[in-house]
Each structure stands twice: as C-alpha cells, then as structure tokens.
Amino acid sequence: MYRIMIVEDDLAMAGAMKKQIEAWGNECFCVCDFANVITAFAEYDPHMVLMDIMLPFFNGYHWCTEIRKISNVPVVFISSASDNMNIVMAMSMGGDDFIPKPVDLEVMTAKIQAVLRRAYDMAGKIPILEHRGAVLNLNDASLVYRGERIELTKNEFRILQTLMENKGKVVSRDTLMTRLWQMDSYVEENTLTVNVTRLRKKLESAGLADFITTKVGSGYIIDMAPGAKGHG
C-alpha cells in the first residue's frame, strides 16, 4: 500500500482522483492548505505526489522545486495546459510524468502504477523530520526552512535530530550527551551548552525563534505548541 498526496484545488476532481486511488488499495490525502504544501508533504510522508500546475499562492513548479530540495519521491504533474511547453517545463522542474486534464481516471491509475514501480523497484524515499515548516533531511544532514538551507555542524545536526525525533517530549542533557557519544562525538556539559546555543542562534536567524525550549533542571524540548520561552 502506497501513500499518495494530491495537490489539486479543484475539490471535485481531487475527490474523484482520491476515490479511484483508494479503490486500487492505496492511501490518499488531498492538500487543503495551498500556502503550506511542504508542511503537509512532510507530515503525510507520501510515496508519490500528484501536483496541479495552477494553484493558489504558488504554482506546482514551485512546490515541486521545494520538494526536490528534501526528497526524491515521484511527482506527477496534472494540468489542463497539456501543450508541449508545459510538459517540458514539468519534466525539467523535477517531475516524473504528466497527466493532462480532463483526467482520465484509468489512464491516471496506469501512470501511477508505472511510476511507483519504477521508483520503488529502484530506490526508497529519503527519510525526513519536520516541525513548523523546518525539514531535516536525515540522509544528508541538511535543514531547510522557507526554501533556505541552514548549515549545521555534525553535533548540531545530531542534537536537532534527537530533539525532533522526540518533539513534544523533554530530552535530558544526559540523553543528548549519550546520543553524541554513541556517534563517536564525546562532549562535556559545557560543550553541549555551547552547541545548543549556537544551534538556537542559527534557527533564530532563519526565522525559527523559540524552536528549542529549555526546561530548567530537566533538559530541552521542541514544543508542539510554539511560543514557549527558554534559554541556556
């Protein structure tokens, strides 16, 4: 069973596509917030995206480019503008196939199955962690927020990975130091504090204020509800 995400602002069409996809035994999710497609992508973690070209806020080419910064999952474009120029543009922007409107559901099904076979017979998808629109790619240790890549040191990446894997839970300083030791990076109490402080500054400079909160006497937390204060 594959998870397929539909980014289509024609709700009737999206509903018909979803019904067809689920009838073939796959899961399906239709995006509703077209200003935050990447957040929906990271949360749903799909095996494939069906992407309309003309969308509110940003077009499908934009969102495909953003997805390609963090994942290699197949993206199939859907558009009534099925001329050669749009097809070429779709492929050059990282798309894997193109389905013209009006969508023939049987043709759509055949193309989905073919693309899935090609993609998952050859390689799996890239694991990512997401919170508040920030996407951490576990394969290349990169952090992307609002289209900008935030450079992290090895220790900063491992600290952020541990916190994001446990978001909503307090992670003790001992747990963080043990995690770093397990990855051949011995740190002391003061070194951990310095690393967390530098990581916070990088996040704040990128627009992610209060991303990491200190729980005095306990450790650190990436809170599910942003806005809590804490330093150190």
Side-chain angles (χ1 to χ4, degrees), residues 174-219:
D174 285 343
T175 296
L176 285 173
M177 287 190 291
T178 300
R179 180 73 179 267
L180 293 172
W181 293 341
Q182 289 171 344
M183 296 177 178
D184 302 321
S185 183
Y186 183 79
V187 297
E188 299 176 344
E189 284 272 352
N190 289 341
T191 309
L192 178 63
T193 300
V194 170
N195 276 275
V196 171
T197 299
R198 287 177 178 168
L199 176 58
R200 271 199 174 114
K201 288 181 179 177
K202 288 183 179 181
L203 295 172
E204 288 173 0
S205 296
L208 289 164
D210 301 320
F211 196 79
I212 299 171
T213 301
T214 298
K215 295 295 184 181
V216 179
S218 299

Side-chain angles (χ1 to χ4, degrees), residues 101-152:
K101 293 180 181 178
V103 174
D104 182 311
L105 295 179
E106 296 302 324
V107 171
M108 178 194 76
T109 300
K111 288 207 172 195
I112 286 173
Q113 292 174 334
V115 171
L116 287 172
R117 277 197 303 270
R118 288 199 302 268
Y120 296 101
D121 284 346
M122 296 170 61
K125 61 189 180 61
I126 296 173
I128 59 176
L129 298 170
E130 185 277 340
H131 185 61
R132 285 171 54 185
V135 179
L136 188 68
N137 185 320
L138 303 187
N139 274 10
D140 65 5
S142 67
L143 180 67
V144 176
Y145 180 63
R146 293 179 178 171
E148 298 297 324
R149 185 182 175 107
I150 304 166
E151 295 299 330
L152 302 176

Side-chain angles (χ1 to χ4, degrees), residues 22 60 62 75 91 180 200:
E22 291 175 341
H62 167 83
V75 176
M91 299 303 104
L180 293 172
R200 271 199 174 114

Side-chain angles (χ1 to χ4, degrees), residues 1-7 17-19 21-22 25-32 36-50 67 70-71 73-74 116 120 125-131 135 167:
M1 180 183 293
Y2 293 98
R3 293 183 302 279
I4 299 174
M5 187 174 92
I6 297 174
V7 188
M17 293 164 60
K18 182 175 187 291
K19 184 177 179 180
I21 289 167
E22 291 175 341
N26 293 305
E27 293 182 11
C28 190
F29 168 73
C30 296
V31 170
C32 296
N36 294 292
V37 172
I38 286 296
T39 299
F41 174 85
E43 290 176 350
Y44 188 60
D45 196 20
H47 297 96
M48 171 186 278
V49 178
L50 301 181
I67 288 171
I70 59 175
S71 176
V73 300
L116 287 172
Y120 296 101
K125 61 189 180 61
I126 296 173
I128 59 176
L129 298 170
E130 185 277 340
H131 185 61
V135 179
K167 64 182 179 181

